[in-house]
Amino acid sequence: MVERVIKAPPERVFAVLADGWSYSDWVVGTAHIRGVDPGWPEPGTKLYYQAGLCPLTISDTTLVLESQPPVRLVLRPRLRVLGHLTVRFDLAPVDTDATRVTLTENIEQGPVRWLWTKAYDLAMHARNVEALRRLADLAERAADGLEAERQADDEGAPDEIEPEEPDVAGQEQPHDGDLA
C-alpha cells in the first residue's frame, strides 16, 4: 500500500484516473496506450496497453472492476501468462483542495504470485510511489490551470485591448518622437 496527498480536489484526481489515454504518462512501466473502450472507466470497460521496454514489451489489457467517482477505482491489469493484479485507488478529501490517494496492489493469480519476494515487494513499492508522484504532477498541474482560469474570470477582462502594431519583418517600427 502506498499513500500520497495530492494538492487537488478528489474530482480533479479522479479525472486523471478517468482519462485512459493518460496512463502511459503516469503508470510506471506502461510504454504505450493502444486503445481505450468508450465509457472508460465504467465497470467492464478496458484499457489496451503495451508494458515494458522495447523490444521486450507485452501487449495486454486492464479491466475496470469498480468505479465510484470520485472516491474509488478498482482495476484488473493483466500481464499475459505472468498473471493479473488487482489495483485499487481510494481517494479521500483532506481539505477543499487536497486528496489523500491510497494505492493498493495485489497479485491475484499467475506465476508471478509464486515468485513474489521481499525484494520484488520493495521494487513494486518504489514503482507505486513514483506512479503516485506522476499522478500528482498531472492532477496538480490541471488544478493549477483551473485555479488560474477561475481567478481570471473573477478579475474580469479589460474593457478594451489596444492592438499592437504589426512588426514588418526586417524593419523597425517608428516609436513616438521618431520620424517615419
Side-chain angles (χ1 to χ4, degrees), residues 39-103:
W40 172 274
E42 293 172 8
T45 58
K46 291 182 181 179
L47 177 75
Y48 305 85
Y49 64 91
Q50 279 185 311
L53 297 171
C54 192
L56 303 173
T57 60
I58 297 172
S59 294
D60 220 321
T61 62
T62 294
L63 173 70
V64 178
L65 298 176
E66 181 183 345
S67 182
Q68 297 179 20
V71 177
R72 180 175 300 120
L73 183 62
V74 182
L75 306 173
R76 175 166 288 150
R78 287 180 12 148
L79 298 170
R80 287 280 174 209
V81 297
L82 299 176
H84 66 257
L85 313 167
T86 298
V87 178
R88 179 177 169 147
F89 295 92
D90 289 298
L91 286 65
V94 175
D95 61 34
T96 57
D97 291 328
T99 304
R100 175 173 286 108
V101 178
T102 304
L103 166 58

Side-chain angles (χ1 to χ4, degrees), residues 152-171:
D153 288 343
D154 290 345
E155 293 172 8
D159 292 335
E160 189 175 314
I161 298 175
E162 293 185 30
E164 294 183 22
E165 291 186 32
D167 186 19
V168 178
Q171 294 182 356

Side-chain angles (χ1 to χ4, degrees), residues 11-155:
E11 294 79 10
R12 183 63 229 147
V13 176
F14 198 89
V16 176
L17 294 173
D19 178 6
W21 293 103
S22 76
Y23 276 56
S24 61
D25 295 335
W26 63 271
V27 176
V28 178
T30 301
H32 175 68
I33 301 301
R34 298 179 298 119
V36 179
D37 281 349
W40 172 274
E42 293 172 8
T45 58
K46 291 182 181 179
L47 177 75
Y48 305 85
Y49 64 91
Q50 279 185 311
L53 297 171
C54 192
L56 303 173
T57 60
I58 297 172
S59 294
D60 220 321
T61 62
T62 294
L63 173 70
V64 178
L65 298 176
E66 181 183 345
S67 182
Q68 297 179 20
V71 177
R72 180 175 300 120
L73 183 62
V74 182
L75 306 173
R76 175 166 288 150
R78 287 180 12 148
L79 298 170
R80 287 280 174 209
V81 297
L82 299 176
H84 66 257
L85 313 167
T86 298
V87 178
R88 179 177 169 147
F89 295 92
D90 289 298
L91 286 65
V94 175
D95 61 34
T96 57
D97 291 328
T99 304
R100 175 173 286 108
V101 178
T102 304
L103 166 58
T104 308
E105 185 174 76
N106 294 304
I107 293 181
E108 297 296 325
Q109 80 183 135
V112 172
R113 187 173 184 193
W114 305 320
L115 300 173
W116 197 268
T117 64
K118 188 63 176 170
Y120 189 75
D121 193 38
L122 290 171
M124 296 313 320
H125 179 82
R127 172 187 174 270
N128 291 338
V129 166
E130 176 61 16
L132 288 187
R133 187 194 66 74
R134 293 177 184 186
L135 177 67
D137 284 348
L138 292 173
E140 290 170 359
R141 231 178 327 160
D144 288 345
L146 291 174
E147 182 60 29
E149 191 175 292
R150 265 186 256 139
Q151 287 176 355
D153 288 343
D154 290 345
E155 293 172 8

